[in-house]
Amino acid sequence: MAETILITGGAGFVGRHVAKSLLEDGHRVRAFDSLIEQVHPARARPVELDPEVELVVGDIRDGDALGRALTGVDAVIHLAAEVGVGQSMYAVDRYTSVNDLGTAVLFQKLIDKPARRVVVASSMSVYGEGLYRTADGVLMEDVVRGPRNPDGSWDPLDGEGRAMTPVPTPETKRPALKSVYAINKFVQERLTLTLTAQYGMEGAALRLWNIYGPGQALSNPYTGVLAIFASRIMHGQAPMVFEDGRQRRDFVHVSDVVSAFRLALERPEAVGETFNIGSGEDRSVEDVARLQAASMGRGDIEPNITKQARAGDIRHNIPDLTKARTLLGYEPKQDFTRGLEELAAWVARQESKDRVAEARRELELRGLVA
Ligand code: UD1
């Protein structure tokens, strides 16, 4: 049945892709977005936003504007958020205001105008370090990354000083909130699941891993690492890789994330649940930098391994997708190499300012890279 769906942050990278998919299935889509300058330098409706999407420009903390945008809405996908882990460590008030107060205002309005379902974008950041296994095969849940190890390595060590191996992290792992952004995302998740249940709505939260794909904000220096690297490589600059580059992540293509949101919106099994969403394949940041340079025809550009850590960063985190697969019916499909090629082709058609050096200076000024 066709529904009217409100996507907060709907003019952004993920929102535009979700909107397109919903429109293709005959739904009506309204996007609520403040078009912040960091993401939308022109502060105008993005050309990539499907013309069929009704765009309401407003701040997520503006209850009156949000209340109007909720009129006639059946379901909400809540994406509006500040998303830079590093930036969250110094823009504390802005992040907490937009992410947490913004979600509170959304629910304050939903109490009066309830929707059938609300799906919130959470993050793997809520886990802090992922799950690890010691050399003796013991699973370690509450790993805390210390400063760099005395021998110069970065992997968390067990009690006997041996490096531990990252293993897929299930939703049952206790959260460990290591950045303001992680704190914000956990609050968003809890507000959504608590208040939907309280007020007769259905709620679900997706803990997303690192999303990439065409349409990423290339000029935003605080965006995901693949967009940052793409922008650097496009300008003939070496990607700046923090630590030793061996930190592992799961890079999930935006089309797979779209399918996860669709399932979370539709499946009865999603209600009241949180799900890990990734690609099921983990990679080191250095490998990704090399693959990406090659995909952009610049295999000659060597990554610059900075041996410096960014404040708030976790070392390794890779998802266990069992719950998403079995309960949600989620199955990631995008091949990474092909995804990078598609990203490279899209990047080649874009113009972006290389603002990464500027962003790094801001972190350095505040002592947040060491
Ligand atoms: C990212 C998202 C966050 C999302 C999370 C889910 C952004 C800004 N952050 O956080 O919103 O919830 O994924 O998984 O999109 N790195 C470099 N060089 C750089 C930039 C980053 O080496 O120039 C490294 C980082 O130190 C980190 C890795 O790349 O080890 C990933 O960084 P990033 O893309 O910012 O993602 P997360 O911090 O994982």
Side-chain angles (χ1 to χ4, degrees):
M1 205 185 68
E3 289 193 314
T4 299
I5 293 151
L6 179 72
I7 308 179
T8 71
F13 163 47
V14 176
R16 296 194 301 260
H17 284 276
V18 175
K20 194 160 178 296
S21 156
L22 288 166
L23 288 169
E24 280 164 8
D25 282 349
H27 297 293
R28 291 168 296 275
V29 180
R30 189 174 297 152
F32 186 84
D33 202 300
S34 61
L35 302 177
I36 58 168
E37 207 249 333
Q38 189 170 309
V39 180
H40 306 275
R43 304 230 47 203
R45 181 182 177 113
V47 284
E48 301 94 338
L49 183 63
D50 194 296
E52 293 288 304
V53 174
E54 179 194 350
L55 174 63
V56 179
V57 178
D59 191 299
I60 191 74
R61 294 159 294 181
D62 178 349
D64 291 341
L66 203 49
R68 285 192 296 275
L70 279 169
T71 305
V73 162
D74 299 299
V76 178
I77 295 185
H78 181 34
L79 304 177
E82 298 277 1
V83 299
V85 177
Q87 193 178 34
S88 80
M89 297 302 279
Y90 66 84
V92 181
D93 51 356
R94 175 152 68 92
Y95 269 68
T96 302
S97 175
V98 172
N99 295 350
D100 291 347
L101 177 59
T103 305
V105 172
L106 172 64
F107 277 98
Q108 198 66 54
K109 292 292 148 187
L110 279 166
I111 291 173
D112 296 332
K113 292 183 178 170
R116 174 183 66 81
R117 191 172 294 195
V118 182
V119 181
V120 65
S122 181
S123 167
M124 63 81 159
S125 303
V126 302
Y127 294 119
E129 288 297 325
L131 196 63
Y132 283 80
R133 184 181 292 124
T134 66
D136 301 325
V138 179
L139 287 178
M140 300 290 287
E141 182 155 5
D142 293 317
V143 171
V144 176
R145 85 175 292 178
R148 202 169 168 185
N149 300 324
D151 66 356
S153 64
W154 302 85
D155 285 337
L157 305 176
D158 68 14
E160 292 173 37
R162 297 170 303 183
M164 294 188 283
T165 313
V167 295
T169 301
E171 290 82 352
T172 48
K173 181 193 172 298
R174 280 185 289 276
L177 310 169
K178 297 294 178 205
S179 63
V180 173
Y181 175 76
I183 296 168
N184 293 166
K185 280 287 155 186
F186 192 63
V187 171
Q188 286 195 332
E189 216 180 81
R190 293 315 315 164
L191 283 172
T192 301
L193 296 181
T194 305
L195 292 167
T196 48
Q198 181 65 43
Y199 289 98
M201 295 179 273
E202 301 169 341
L206 301 182
R207 291 177 174 168
L208 303 161
W209 257 256
N210 302 61
I211 311 171
Y212 76 99
Q216 278 184 279
L218 293 180
S219 302
N220 176 3
Y222 305 96
T223 188
V225 68
L226 284 187
I228 293 177
F229 286 175
S231 180
R232 299 280 297 174
I233 296 163
M234 186 165 110
H235 290 90
Q237 308 278 329
M240 288 195 294
V241 176
F242 295 128
E243 305 174 30
D244 60 357
R246 306 321 297 168
Q247 62 272 37
R248 298 187 85 77
R249 294 287 190 281
D250 178 307
F251 294 91
V252 58
H253 191 266
V254 66
S255 59
D256 288 324
V257 172
V258 167
S259 78
F261 273 107
R262 297 297 309 274
L263 292 163
L265 206 56
E266 288 151 21
R267 287 288 178 109
E269 297 86 349
V271 177
E273 301 289 341
T274 56
F275 297 96
N276 288 344
I277 299 298
S279 73
E281 288 178 11
D282 58 290
R283 300 164 197 284
S284 75
V285 173
E286 182 188 353
D287 288 351
V288 161
R290 288 182 193 283
L291 285 171
Q292 200 173 14
S295 77
M296 294 174 70
R298 294 302 309 261
D300 57 307
I301 297 181
E302 281 286 302
N304 171 10
I305 312 284
T306 63
K307 302 275 177 189
Q308 289 185 312
R310 188 174 65 172
D313 262 0
I314 50 169
R315 176 65 177 167
H316 302 295
N317 199 334
I318 58 181
D320 183 331
L321 299 180
T322 309
K323 182 176 172 187
R325 284 191 161 111
T326 52
L327 209 56
L328 205 56
Y330 169 74
E331 196 50 59
K333 294 197 171 71
Q334 178 71 50
D335 172 77
F336 188 65
T337 310
R338 270 210 296 284
L340 280 186
E341 282 165 6
E342 175 207 37
L343 182 64
W346 177 79
V347 166
R349 300 196 298 273
Q350 309 304 310
E351 275 181 40
S352 78
K353 248 176 86 196
D354 183 359
R355 288 163 62 191
V356 173
E358 189 187 309
R360 190 181 162 81
R361 267 192 304 279
E362 289 208 41
L363 290 177
E364 272 167 2
L365 272 173
R366 294 169 172 85
L368 294 174
V369 280

